[in-house]
């Protein structure tokens, strides 16, 4: 896996010229998660866990949150978040303004293939790996550079967020997670079974399935993990959204009903859907826990990027996925396209609602005049 220096022209689905980029997040080994801070805190650990595993778990689960905290910090200081390179976590910035993300072999392999795929314009540019101190990092394009007061939304794609192996593993080797039990109870004290309450722990597979079925993941093929507004405020109270109507409400909130931004996102997703049809990578990979990152700023630059490939794995020889059908155990289908279609439909709805709102307010202004 060599260093890649070639830069690609980035495409912004906006009436404005190209400018930005964006970063992402995710745990070293996996997934995305905008772990937006709110009532649902991530930093819950069980008593008796060893310090090393606590630290690892902390680093992993806090990755996106760490990143957002860094952005928040830099926004408050009106400076570049490059200043924050020294912060601990899964990310660092390198001299060139790249983002360094803790190395994960699965993700590095995906990014390497993606740089030669039809999806390249939708993925942060990958520049190989670098070692810093004891750790190896993946060098990624900093997709937030050039944006002022960015507004960000992370949507975790697919009808499930766990790999088939995670289910099989849970059947043969039961590892109980008290941190996940605590997260579960915080959201819904009645969710754990009597047995789980007794153990004060659940398996990871059980937790991930619970998250999927209590959010729009299972039904709409994606869920909103969180939103960061331009003032740096972070919200992640969207995980219990189940209907498209509620997603559309969240879209309108996220974009403040700005038509040009909604349209830019809509056309970017249509372009992504075309690229996915031509992507060998997409046909031959099970895409789990990957996110679409929506980013815009006050100047109406808006784009969407595919991020987080830590749980995206190649399929066995000759197997190809359709991505647009529900999952049945063993099929490896991920439902990525179900999620993409839901998002496109939601954006269409948001566009027509925002248009009507605009027409109404124009009408009101005229009658006042
Ligand atoms: C986390 C989320 C992550 C998952 C993480 C969960 O839950 O499901 O995707 O990491 O597992 O804790 P939540 O968003 O509800 O806080 P993976 O994608 O790597 O499975 P982890 O704690 O084992 O990292």
């Amino acid at each position: 896996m060599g260093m890649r220096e070639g830069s690609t022209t980035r495409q912004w689905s906006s009436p404005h010229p190209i400018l930005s980029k964006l970063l992402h997040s995710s745990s070293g080994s996996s997934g995305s998660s905008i772990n937006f801070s709110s009532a649902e805190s991530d930093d819950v650990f069980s008593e008796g866990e060893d310090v090393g595993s606590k630290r690892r778990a902390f680093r992993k689960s806090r990755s996106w949150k760490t990143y957002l905290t860094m952005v928040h910090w830099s926004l408050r200081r009106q400076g570049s978040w490059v200043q924050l390179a020294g912060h601990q976590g899964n990310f660092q910035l390198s001299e060139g303004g790249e983002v360094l993300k803790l190395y994960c072999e699965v993700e590095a392999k995906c990014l390497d293939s993606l740089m030669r795929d039809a999806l390249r314009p939708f993925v942060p540019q990958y520049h190989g790996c670098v070692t810093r101190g004891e750790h190896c990092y993946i060098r990624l394009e900093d997709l937030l550079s050039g944006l002022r007061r960015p507004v960000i939304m992370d949507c975790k794609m697919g009808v499930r967020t766990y790999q088939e192996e995670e289910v099989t593993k849970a059947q043969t080797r039961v590892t109980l997670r008290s941190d996940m039990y605590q997260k579960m109870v915080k959201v819904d004290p009645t969710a754990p079974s009597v047995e789980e309450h007794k153990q004060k722990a659940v398996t990871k597979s059980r937790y991930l399935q619970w998250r999927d079925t209590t959010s729009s993941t299972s039904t709409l093929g994606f869920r909103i993990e969180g939103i960061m507004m331009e003032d740096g405020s972070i919200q992640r109270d969207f995980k219990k959204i189940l209907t498209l109507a509620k997603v559309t409400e969240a879209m309108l909130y996220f974009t403040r009903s700005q038509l040009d931004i909604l349209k830019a996102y809509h056309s970017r997703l249509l372009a992504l859907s075309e690229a996915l049809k031509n992507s060998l990578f997409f046909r031959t990979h099970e895409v789990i826990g990957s996110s679409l990152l929506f980013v815009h700023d006050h100047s109406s630059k808006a784009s969407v990027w595919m991020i987080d490939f830590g749980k995206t794995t190649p399929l066995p020889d000759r197997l190809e996925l359709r991505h647009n059908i529900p999952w049945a155990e063993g099929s490896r289908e991920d439902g990525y396209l179900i999620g993409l279609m839901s998002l496109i439909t939601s954006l269409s709805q948001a566009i027509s609602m925002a248009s009507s709102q605009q027409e109404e307010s124009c009408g009101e202004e005229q009658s006042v005049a």
Side-chain angles (χ1 to χ4, degrees):
M1 174 179 11
M3 302 282 224
R4 289 175 184 282
E5 298 303 336
S7 66
T8 313
T9 305
R10 314 306 285 152
Q11 293 174 1
W12 284 88
S13 299
S14 87
H16 295 269
I18 296 161
L19 172 22
S20 12
K21 323 170 164 197
L22 142 161
L23 142 98
H24 174 253
S25 73
S26 114
S27 58
S29 70
S30 75
S32 69
S33 303
I34 270 188
N35 284 328
F36 287 104
S37 53
S38 78
E40 283 179 54
S41 168
D42 297 300
D43 46 354
V44 277
F45 299 110
S46 61
E47 290 306 314
E49 277 181 279
D50 70 90
V51 174
S53 72
K54 273 187 186 179
R55 282 215 187 99
R56 276 194 300 281
F58 180 79
R59 196 172 58 215
K60 192 163 178 287
S61 66
R62 297 296 287 248
S63 58
W64 180 231
K65 187 170 180 177
T66 303
Y67 161 64
L68 286 172
T69 308
M70 284 155 64
V71 173
H72 195 77
W73 192 93
S74 77
L75 283 170
R76 280 172 175 271
R77 281 159 185 74
Q78 300 285 305
S80 158
W81 65 304
V82 173
Q83 296 164 6
L84 306 172
H87 278 228
Q88 284 302 302
N90 271 6
F91 291 93
Q92 287 197 12
L93 286 179
S94 69
E95 298 81 17
E98 289 169 356
V99 172
L100 301 184
K101 180 178 178 184
L102 211 54
Y103 180 78
C104 157
E105 190 183 359
V106 173
E107 180 156 44
K109 279 187 177 160
C110 286
L111 288 162
D112 200 45
S113 306
L114 283 162
M115 292 303 99
R116 288 173 268 110
D117 189 82
L119 290 176
R120 182 171 178 165
F122 295 88
V123 176
Q125 293 302 292
Y126 168 57
H127 301 293
C129 301
V130 66
T131 306
R132 287 284 163 85
E134 291 173 6
H135 299 289
C136 244
Y137 292 90
I138 287 169
R139 294 171 55 205
L140 286 176
E141 176 186 11
D142 171 10
L143 294 165
L144 284 187
S145 77
L147 288 180
R148 287 192 54 210
R149 296 161 63 85
V151 184
I152 307 172
M153 175 171 74
D154 180 305
C155 292
K156 196 179 264 195
M157 300 301 289
V159 290
R160 65 190 159 97
T161 61
Y162 50 90
Q163 293 169 309
E164 293 209 347
E165 294 80 70
E166 287 181 275
V167 183
T168 333
K169 225 195 290 171
Q171 282 159 1
T172 52
R173 206 176 120 250
V174 179
T175 310
L176 292 173
R177 295 273 302 258
S178 54
D179 59 328
M180 289 184 160
Y181 168 81
Q182 287 174 48
K183 284 199 277 189
M184 203 174 196
V185 168
K186 216 163 192 175
V187 176
D188 179 2
T190 66
S193 66
V194 175
E195 182 70 12
E196 287 164 344
H197 272 307
K198 220 159 68 191
Q199 293 166 335
K200 294 203 178 310
V202 294
T203 63
K204 178 168 178 177
S205 148
R206 155 85 166 118
Y207 176 79
L208 296 184
Q209 290 182 36
W210 168 76
R211 265 280 189 235
D212 290 356
T213 48
T214 53
S215 68
S216 56
T217 289
S218 300
T219 48
L220 300 177
F222 81 98
R223 68 171 173 253
I224 301 174
E225 286 280 314
I227 290 176
M228 185 180 88
M229 297 305 277
E230 62 271 64
D231 62 356
S233 62
I234 289 165
Q235 286 159 45
R236 56 174 193 154
D237 306 323
F238 308 97
K239 285 183 181 168
K240 287 202 274 182
I241 285 184
L242 289 168
T243 63
L244 203 64
K246 287 281 175 204
V247 170
T248 305
E249 259 177 46
M251 285 284 183
L252 289 167
Y253 166 77
F254 166 62
T255 58
R256 298 205 187 283
S257 300
Q258 294 171 87
L259 260 178
D260 50 352
I261 290 171
L262 285 165
K263 285 180 180 171
Y265 281 143
H266 187 255
S267 64
R268 176 75 169 166
L269 289 190
L270 291 178
L272 172 61
S273 142
E274 280 308 302
L276 288 168
K277 283 182 198 156
N278 299 320
S279 167
L280 178 65
F281 178 90
F282 190 55
R283 278 201 302 279
T284 57
H285 282 74
E286 180 186 358
V287 185
I288 301 296
S290 176
S291 284
L292 282 180
L293 201 61
F294 292 68
V295 183
H296 64 267
D297 73 2
H298 70 288
S299 65
S300 300
K301 286 186 284 283
S303 198
V304 185
W305 307 94
M306 291 177 79
I307 53 167
D308 286 343
F309 301 100
K311 283 166 85 171
T312 294
T313 44
L315 297 162
D317 268 353
R318 295 213 185 95
L319 187 62
E320 292 193 357
L321 294 186
R322 289 168 58 188
H323 300 283
N324 61 356
I325 54 171
W327 174 64
E329 204 170 333
S331 73
R332 300 190 69 162
E333 287 291 349
D334 53 34
Y336 193 99
L337 290 178
I338 297 176
L340 186 60
M341 286 310 120
S342 299
L343 276 167
I344 291 173
T345 309
S346 169
L347 278 166
S348 301
Q349 287 177 359
I351 288 168
S352 54
M353 287 168 82
S355 304
S356 315
Q357 279 168 16
Q358 217 174 57
E359 279 161 25
E360 270 168 35
S361 60
C362 279
E364 275 164 24
E365 272 168 31
Q366 275 166 8
S367 61
V368 170

